[in-house]
């Protein structure tokens, strides 16, 4: 791949943020909501701090990182005074202690074991950690996330944990060539989200539905997403 100059990447990032926000706004309005009802997360995995900071200077107030180690090593170089960071990647229990005080939310809680560890460590640190429960909506074997059939039980269990608070749900649907199938996954997620919200469980606050990435964030917004996680379409292709 051709290596772009820093200046070119800076102006691409500025342009992309504008364009993505515009598209989110249009999709939100089409689905009977306002552009302010959908939050844009810039997914910054593999992206160097200089470009992340540039995005923050141009209106990004939420970033998402996948890996604990990568985020911790980049964090001292990030200007996060007016920007939140969430962990969105799979989290191993042995990394929980390191990350809970460094991000404002963990979007990838998908087991009682992990939830217990986060709650236990948060309690020792004197904090309450906010989280989303990740749902494997396509029931794919290789994917992380809790299966739909086990979701209610997991939400109930977490609602009883002292130092962990559910703020909503997150999902990565299967890769779909066909728009109709994709929309089915998104609308199914939205229905599950509303069902749990209607139960009005103690200590469960169903306000965030995190779904939609570079290739499908407009479809996700049309189906009720309140937070889209956009990487490639904002920062350009990732170089691993
Ligand atoms: C990488 C990643 C994204 C962003 O993917 P893009 O297709 O680059 O927008 C969103 N969510 C999660 C959980 C990711 O790992």
């Amino acid at each position: 791949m051709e290596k772009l100059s820093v200046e070119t990447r800076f102006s691409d990032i500025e342009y992309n943020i504008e364009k993505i926000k515009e598209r989110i706004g249009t999709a939100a309005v089409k689905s009977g909501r306002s552009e302010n009802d959908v939050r844009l997360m810039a997914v910054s995995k593999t992206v160097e701090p200089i470009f992340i900071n540039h995005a923050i200077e141009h209106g990004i107030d939420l970033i998402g990182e996948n890996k604990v180690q990568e985020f911790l090593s980049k964090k001292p170089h990030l200007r996060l005074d007016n920007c939140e960071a969430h962990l969105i990647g799979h989290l191993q229990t042995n990394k929980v202690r390191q990350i809970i005080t460094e991000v404002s939310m963990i979007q990838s809680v998908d087991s009682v074991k992990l939830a217990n560890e986060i709650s236990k460590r948060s309690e020792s640190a004197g904090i309450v950690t906010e989280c989303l429960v990740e749902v494997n909506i396509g029931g794919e074997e290789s994917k992380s996330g809790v299966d739909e059939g086990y979701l209610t039980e997991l939400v109930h269990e977490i609602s009883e944990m002292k130092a962990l608070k559910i703020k909503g749900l997150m999902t990565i649907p299967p890769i779909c060539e066909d728009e109709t199938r994709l929309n089915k996954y998104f609308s199914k997620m939205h229905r599950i989200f509303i069902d749990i919200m209607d139960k009005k469980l103690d200590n469960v606050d169903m306000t965030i539905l995190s779904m939609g990435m570079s290739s499908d964030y407009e479809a996700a917004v049309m189906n009720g997403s309140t937070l889209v996680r956009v990487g490639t379409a904002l920062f350009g292709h990732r170089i691993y």
Side-chain angles (χ1 to χ4, degrees):
M1 207 178 309
E2 188 195 352
K3 198 142 170 25
L4 300 171
S5 74
V6 169
E7 286 310 319
T8 307
R9 285 192 65 186
F10 275 177
S11 61
D12 284 353
I13 288 167
E14 291 167 38
Y15 174 81
N16 293 340
I17 291 172
E18 281 306 305
K19 195 179 57 186
I20 294 163
K21 282 189 169 172
E22 214 174 277
R23 289 189 174 170
I24 291 171
T26 306
V29 169
K30 270 195 208 161
S31 67
R33 296 183 295 157
S34 131
E35 60 183 326
N36 300 322
D37 295 335
V38 185
R39 198 157 179 210
L40 169 61
M41 163 189 279
V43 175
S44 51
K45 62 185 177 216
T46 78
V47 179
E48 298 145 273
I50 179 177
F51 300 114
I52 304 173
N53 287 334
H54 193 75
I56 293 170
E57 274 165 32
H58 288 84
I60 291 299
D61 62 6
L62 174 62
I63 61 165
E65 284 277 342
N66 287 63
K67 294 190 172 141
V68 172
Q69 232 50 58
E70 182 187 337
F71 177 60
L72 295 183
S73 65
K74 289 197 300 200
K75 197 181 176 201
H77 309 286
L78 298 176
R79 290 200 283 273
L80 294 175
D81 294 341
N82 298 306
C83 181
E84 265 185 85
H86 292 180
L87 187 78
I88 59 173
H90 182 67
L91 178 58
Q92 288 171 300
T93 48
N94 63 2
K95 302 254 170 75
V96 166
R97 192 182 52 80
Q98 290 172 279
I99 197 69
I100 48 168
T101 52
E102 305 297 326
V103 291
S104 59
M105 191 178 289
I106 295 172
Q107 293 205 359
S108 45
V109 174
D110 64 354
S111 71
V112 176
K113 181 171 171 248
L114 176 60
N116 261 322
E117 180 69 10
I118 299 173
S119 185
K120 193 178 86 188
R121 297 289 184 179
S122 299
E123 207 179 336
S124 321
I127 58 171
V128 173
T129 297
E130 296 190 332
C131 74
L132 304 183
V133 175
E134 181 177 352
V135 183
N136 181 2
I137 195 63
E140 294 168 284
E141 233 164 78
S142 58
K143 276 245 176 86
S144 49
V146 60
D147 284 335
E148 192 192 342
Y150 183 58
L151 175 62
T152 315
E153 194 177 328
L154 180 59
V155 168
H156 275 279
E157 296 219 29
I158 296 176
S159 73
E160 288 174 0
M161 296 178 190
K162 265 196 205 147
L164 186 57
K165 182 161 176 78
I166 297 180
K167 299 293 287 183
L169 305 177
M170 185 269 254
T171 197
I172 309 170
I175 296 165
C176 296
E177 298 295 327
D178 128 45
E179 186 91 4
T180 316
R181 220 178 120 230
L182 180 66
N183 277 315
K184 265 189 198 149
Y185 288 122
F186 283 147
S187 67
K188 191 168 157 197
M189 265 310 291
H190 186 246
R191 187 155 23 84
I192 294 171
F193 176 72
I194 298 293
D195 283 350
I196 298 176
M197 188 191 289
D198 286 345
K199 288 188 177 136
K200 297 192 167 52
L201 302 167
D202 282 344
N203 197 34
V204 175
D205 192 10
M206 276 286 147
T207 51
I208 302 172
L209 179 55
S210 171
M211 60 183 192
M213 319 204 312
S214 289
S215 60
D216 58 17
Y217 64 90
E218 288 161 291
V221 171
M222 297 286 288
N223 284 286
S225 166
T226 72
L227 189 158
V228 294
R229 310 178 308 268
V230 181
T232 315
L234 200 155
F235 288 115
H237 285 286
R238 285 183 286 274
I239 302 160
Y240 287 94

